[in-house]
Amino acid sequence: QVQLVESGGGLVQAGASLRLSCAASGRRVGTYAMGWFRQAPGKEREFVASISWSGSSTYYADSVKGRFTISRDNAKNTVSLQMNSLKPEDTAVYYCAGTLGPPVASHVSYGYWGQGTQVTVSS
């Protein structure tokens, strides 16, 4: 079992930055690939970014590539999402997720989820 707790969301203006953190606890946390997903009201949950268990491979949705950076610190059992140049369309609840499989973009592959943190970007 893995428990995930997100933090760092908030209300910011367009162009600002936010850093989301995901604290993981449980067995073998360092062996899980991790992902960030988001869900806006009335929309399906969508992939944002993912990272392999070692941190050597990262993947991004086209909509955030070049603006967001995912990273992890296995010694501290944390995964972070640095979000720069935020846009109003980035407004959503952001979820941290974990999987023992590869860091794919499909949310159905992730068995462990946090409760989510709200990010609101005003224009």
Side-chain angles (χ1 to χ4, degrees):
Q1 287 287 344
V2 173
Q3 293 78 44
L4 304 173
V5 179
E6 303 95 335
S7 62
L11 170 63
V12 297
Q13 290 189 331
S17 298
L18 274 177
R19 187 176 181 87
L20 304 184
S21 293
C22 175
S25 60
R27 296 180 61 188
R28 304 167 58 196
V29 169
T31 64
Y32 284 71
M34 301 296 293
W36 284 97
F37 293 80
R38 66 187 182 186
Q39 189 165 18
K43 294 187 177 181
E44 294 187 352
R45 189 165 298 190
E46 66 171 354
F47 170 75
V48 176
S50 62
I51 188 167
S52 60
W53 70 268
S54 65
S56 61
S57 298
T58 57
Y59 306 89
Y60 298 92
D62 288 343
S63 59
V64 307
K65 202 171 293 183
R67 299 188 297 122
F68 291 10
T69 302
I70 189 172
S71 61
R72 69 187 298 162
D73 184 337
N74 284 343
K76 296 182 179 179
N77 289 340
T78 58
V79 179
S80 298
L81 185 68
Q82 177 66 42
M83 305 186 296
N84 298 330
S85 303
L86 283 162
K87 304 175 181 180
E89 51 263 44
D90 294 319
T91 295
V93 177
Y94 282 71
Y95 297 91
C96 175
T99 177
L100 282 172
V104 297
S106 173
H107 66 88
V108 299
S109 297
Y110 292 75
Y112 300 97
W113 292 85
Q115 83 289 349
T117 185
Q118 177 71 46
V119 171
T120 303
V121 185
S122 63
S123 57

